[in-house]
Amino acid sequence: MYEFEKITLDKLDENEYMAFNDKLIFQTIQWINFIIITQNVEPIILRILKEGHFIGYFTGFEFSKFGVKMIGSPFSGW
């Protein structure tokens, strides 16, 4: 079973978060801070566990378009 723990940016373990070899520039803490400032969005960072074992993170942003709330992952062009 999967478990999801929502992490605030100030409580994020930066070493654990950045430890993945496939981490993109669009998932770095510096990029997340840039997007927060320039796009006025709420970061969504989920720490993911499977059967009690840490497996990774989901990184995204909550924002509204035309009054509809959405969550989107960081990508080129943001």
Side-chain angles (χ1 to χ4, degrees):
M1 176 179 277
Y2 289 96
E3 299 171 51
F4 302 93
E5 176 185 2
K6 187 173 180 180
I7 306 289
T8 59
L9 200 52
D10 62 327
K11 303 284 187 209
L12 182 64
D13 179 340
E14 190 171 342
N15 291 326
E16 181 182 75
Y17 182 77
M18 294 303 296
F20 296 89
N21 293 333
D22 61 348
K23 182 77 68 182
L24 302 173
I25 188 172
F26 307 110
Q27 298 166 325
T28 63
I29 293 170
Q30 294 82 1
W31 187 260
I32 292 168
N33 284 321
F34 172 75
I35 296 300
I36 291 168
I37 292 167
T38 61
Q39 302 296 313
N40 193 31
V41 294
E42 173 77 21
I44 304 292
I45 301 172
L46 301 177
R47 188 171 186 270
I48 306 168
L49 300 144
K50 184 176 182 182
E51 298 173 4
H53 299 288
F54 170 70
I55 61 168
Y57 282 94
F58 168 81
T59 305
F61 299 99
E62 182 179 329
F63 60 97
S64 292
K65 285 284 189 189
F66 307 109
V68 178
K69 283 191 176 184
M70 297 182 216
I71 293 180
S73 293
F75 53 87
S76 178
W78 262 51

